[in-house]
Amino acid sequence: IGSINGISPPRVETYAYSASKAALHMVAKHAASKLSKYNITVNSIAPGLFKTKMTGGMINMFGGDDVFKSGIPMKRMGNAKDIGGLCILLSSSAG
């Protein structure tokens, strides 16, 4: 699981985090291009902001939930239900 921050620059300065997520997405692209001939599917997911132990401090430091929600099209942070089904689908033979 990567992050939207690995695809486009985030609003806050998280250089190492963004670079590591960008690397994950590129590894997935390389693996997909090489493993497809063996009928192996490779996927990566790029979710947006989820409030977790890791992100909670950053959210508070930069103005709280509402500041971040204002920059999200649906005006809400992600939750486990948003990503759980996708992970199951992509882990299955259907993915």
Side-chain angles (χ1 to χ4, degrees):
I1 296 176
S3 170
I4 193 71
N5 289 351
I7 296 173
S8 61
R11 294 170 53 182
V12 295
E13 296 180 13
T14 54
Y15 300 104
Y17 178 81
S18 297
S20 69
K21 296 303 181 175
L24 182 142
H25 293 301
M26 186 53 69
V27 167
K29 288 178 184 182
H30 277 276
S33 71
K34 298 299 179 191
L35 296 174
S36 62
K37 64 184 171 190
Y38 303 108
N39 203 32
I40 297 172
T41 303
V42 178
N43 297 291
S44 63
I45 303 170
L49 184 61
F50 279 65
K51 192 164 189 179
T52 65
K53 288 180 184 179
M54 183 183 83
T55 62
M58 176 200 64
I59 290 167
N60 292 334
M61 184 179 359
F62 289 99
D65 291 8
D66 290 338
V67 170
F68 284 88
K69 288 178 185 177
S70 69
I72 299 171
M74 292 184 72
K75 306 297 183 216
R76 69 176 184 82
M77 293 182 214
N79 62 56
K81 288 183 180 180
D82 293 328
I83 202 163
L86 179 60
C87 289
I88 291 169
L89 172 70
L90 294 177
S91 300
S92 73
S93 60

